[in-house]
Each structure stands twice: as structure tokens, then as C-alpha cells.
Amino acid sequence: MALVRLRTPLALLGAAVLVLVGPPLLTTGSGSETGTQIPGLRFMVPNTPGGGYDITARTAAKNAEDAGLTHNIEVFNLPGAGGTVGLSRLVSEHGNGKLAMSMGLGVVGAVRSNDAPKTLGDTTPIARLTEEQDVVVVAKDSPYKTIDDLIGAWKENPGKLPVGGGSSPGGPDHLAPMLMARAAGIPPKQVNYIPFDGGGELLASILGNKVAFGVSGVGEYLDQIKAGELRLLAVTGPKRVGGLDAPTLKEAGYDVNFTNWRGIVAPPGLNDGERDKLVKLVEELHDSAEWRGSLKQNGWDDAFLTGEKFGAFLDAEDKRVVSVLKELGL
């Protein structure tokens, strides 16, 4: 994706809580021709700037504008409680066809761990966009050079090696290290997991050695890994990530295969026309050259799924989170 990079520390420092994405200099199409123009569209990010939901939302907004699908999308952050503060706000906007929210597996888990009064079943499912692996990273000056170094020390005293993640318990950055622990023979209940409200908040604690290691999405820390600020020890998915020199956990001898996903939901109570227009917008976005470039640049896998099929997937993911937490004794 040919877009302004927002993952660097300098850009994260400059990220405002409310950002208005400006109109593009060049467009490749017209939203009036494709029926995708939604004047006044706002895109909520339910965690802090710099995290995966934030990067996904700003990338999607810029790509949609650069492709001429719609204009002046307002992207804003409403963090809190692993995304459930934003979810509650979204559900309260009943019938608002000009609001959407970036979300993913982390919100599914946060609903459970926070016993939230509103769930994703109260929203209008629009689309699942991406799937990506988590990465296991340490600061560049960490004593742990390999994943075996880290897990060896972790096994000796699990409670003294805190692991940080950008999601609440039950979210992807929590489930991945718990599955790692189980695969390494560490009781998950002994893991000292410290949750942060998104990858942006987590980054400072990894760089400052306030946690022994961190687990987050590959797209969130790609710049810091390539710049040498973070040392990548392993990836959690089924295959190595192109351009990165790190084994999969399975390749390293730990039986873990875990990926995260992100998508978009809207408020309840939309009429068919409002819902279909949002779905049409993301369908056209998905087919654009701009979005295809973004997938490649961020290390995201295409996982496109819309409407009722996405709704069924959300229901299945909720059941999966509950099942995994029970299986892990958490």
C-alpha cells in the first residue's frame, strides 16, 4: 500500500485522538459511480493510536479515499476496557449508517473477560478484512537471542518473566502466549500476563524492558523489527513471514498455530440500504489496488468475508474463545 506510514514511533507520538483523513490528491475512481459514497462517514477505533485496530482503520480509510470510493472519512479513537467502551458506544448509535468500528478477536475476548453488557451480537456485521500472525518480540538489548533462550528462562520462573500483550484476557495477544506456555510445559495459570490497550501502549514497555517479551500482530511492529529496535524471536502462525528472519513456533518445537483477524462492524438497526452501502464500500475497497498493496506492506493475509457469513463467524469465534479459555483452565 502506498500510504503514509503510521507505525513508526515518531508518527505514533504525533497521532491525535481524533484524525480527519484528508481528501486524496489523485483518485482512481468515483464513489458516485460505484454507489459507495457515504458523506460524513466516521470510523471508530476502540483502542489507542498505534495498535492493530488503529492501523487497520487508518489504512482502510486512506485506501478508500485514494481509490475514490468515498471522501473525508473521519477516524477517531475511543479506547477503554479492551474495546468494549467503543463497542458500547457503537451499539448506542442505533440506526446510524454513517458510523463503523474497527475490531477483531481482541474485542471478542474483551467482551468475555469484562463481562460486557453489550456484545458483538448487538452490532451489524459488515466484513472481516484481514488475518495475520502474532509475533514474539523482545527489546534489542534483551538477553534472549532465540525463542529457546526465552522459553528456557520462562520455564525456570514463569512469574518473574512478565509477558505483555495489546489485548485483554481472552484476546489474541493473551491467548497466543498462553498457548505457547502450554506447549512449553508451563501451566498457563502461572503466566504473568500484563494487558495493554493496544500495541501502541505495549511498545513502550517492551522497549523499556518493563516486560520480558511482548506478543502482538506482525503489522503493528514491522517497522520496529526492520529498524532493529525489536528482536523478533518467532511467529505464531503456520508459516514464516516473508522478509523476516524468524521461525514459526511449531518449527522451533512448540506445538502452536495461532492467527489473529480484524474486521468492521456497524451499529444495530440499520436499514437494508444503509447496511448494503457499507458492505459495498468494503467490497470495492477489497478489490482495489490500494488495498492489495496495503496487505502486502503490512504482512496481512486476505481474509475477506461479509454480511451474514461474517456474523456467523463472529458467533463461532465467541464460542472458540470460551472453549480455549476453559481448556487452558483460565
Side-chain angles (χ1 to χ4, degrees):
M1 58 187 156
L3 74 148
V4 178
R5 303 290 291 253
L6 290 173
R7 295 189 301 268
T8 62
L10 181 61
L12 295 181
L13 286 172
V17 172
L18 185 66
V19 173
L20 183 64
V21 180
L25 295 176
L26 296 172
T27 63
T28 57
S30 168
S32 59
E33 294 172 1
T34 58
T36 57
Q37 284 286 353
I38 306 177
L41 178 61
R42 306 178 76 218
F43 208 166
M44 184 198 304
V45 177
N47 63 10
T48 55
Y53 300 151
D54 189 67
I55 294 168
T56 303
R58 296 178 193 280
T59 299
K62 187 174 190 305
N63 287 174
E65 294 204 352
D66 287 351
L69 300 176
T70 193
H71 301 294
N72 297 326
I73 303 173
E74 186 181 303
V75 182
F76 68 101
N77 298 76
L78 185 63
T84 57
V85 170
L87 175 62
S88 180
R89 164 71 179 277
L90 186 82
V91 174
S92 74
E93 295 275 346
H94 189 278
N96 185 353
K98 296 180 182 294
L99 180 65
M101 186 178 84
S102 175
M103 50 72 69
L105 180 57
V107 176
V108 178
V111 166
R112 287 291 176 180
S113 61
N114 291 299
D115 196 21
K118 303 299 181 183
T119 75
L120 289 164
D122 296 316
T123 70
T124 300
I126 300 301
R128 184 183 67 189
L129 294 175
T130 64
E131 185 176 48
E132 70 171 339
Q133 304 197 41
D134 267 1
V135 291
V136 181
V137 292
V138 295
K140 63 181 179 182
D141 56 352
S142 168
Y144 309 117
K145 309 293 185 186
T146 68
I147 189 65
D148 285 333
D149 290 343
L150 172 65
I151 289 183
W154 200 20
K155 288 176 74 170
E156 286 183 12
N157 199 330
K160 285 196 173 180
L161 263 71
V163 51
S167 59
S168 297
D173 300 349
H174 171 251
L175 294 178
M178 293 301 168
L179 292 169
M180 281 174 56
R182 185 180 65 175
I186 300 169
K189 285 186 176 180
Q190 293 183 15
V191 173
N192 181 9
Y193 177 76
I194 301 177
F196 294 82
D197 202 356
E201 284 192 357
L202 170 63
L203 179 61
S205 288
I206 301 173
L207 294 174
N209 291 303
K210 291 186 170 64
V211 294
F213 66 104
V215 177
S216 195
V218 61
E220 295 177 66
Y221 292 158
L222 203 54
D223 284 350
Q224 288 77 22
I225 292 167
K226 289 184 175 179
E229 296 168 9
L230 294 175
R231 181 183 299 141
L232 174 61
L233 301 184
V235 297
T236 66
K239 61 183 179 181
R240 290 192 176 211
V241 175
L244 298 179
D245 184 20
T248 67
L249 286 169
K250 200 153 193 174
E251 187 182 340
Y254 307 99
D255 190 14
V256 176
N257 182 354
F258 181 85
T259 56
N260 186 18
W261 56 268
R262 296 193 180 96
I264 299 171
V265 293
L270 303 192
N271 63 43
D272 290 349
E274 291 168 328
R275 182 198 62 217
D276 293 348
K277 198 157 194 176
L278 282 166
V279 171
K280 178 68 172 175
L281 174 61
V282 294
E283 285 176 341
E284 293 290 334
L285 170 68
H286 172 258
D287 292 340
S288 71
E290 288 81 0
W291 182 250
R292 288 195 297 273
S294 295
L295 293 175
K296 183 177 181 180
Q297 182 173 337
N298 284 286
W300 295 337
D301 291 324
D302 187 6
F304 197 59
L305 193 66
T306 61
E308 291 181 2
K309 290 182 178 179
F310 179 44
F313 171 79
L314 289 177
D315 184 58
E317 284 294 273
D318 180 57
K319 291 180 173 64
R320 182 169 77 100
V321 165
V322 172
S323 174
V324 172
L325 290 174
K326 285 182 178 178
E327 184 184 337
L328 294 172
L330 301 171

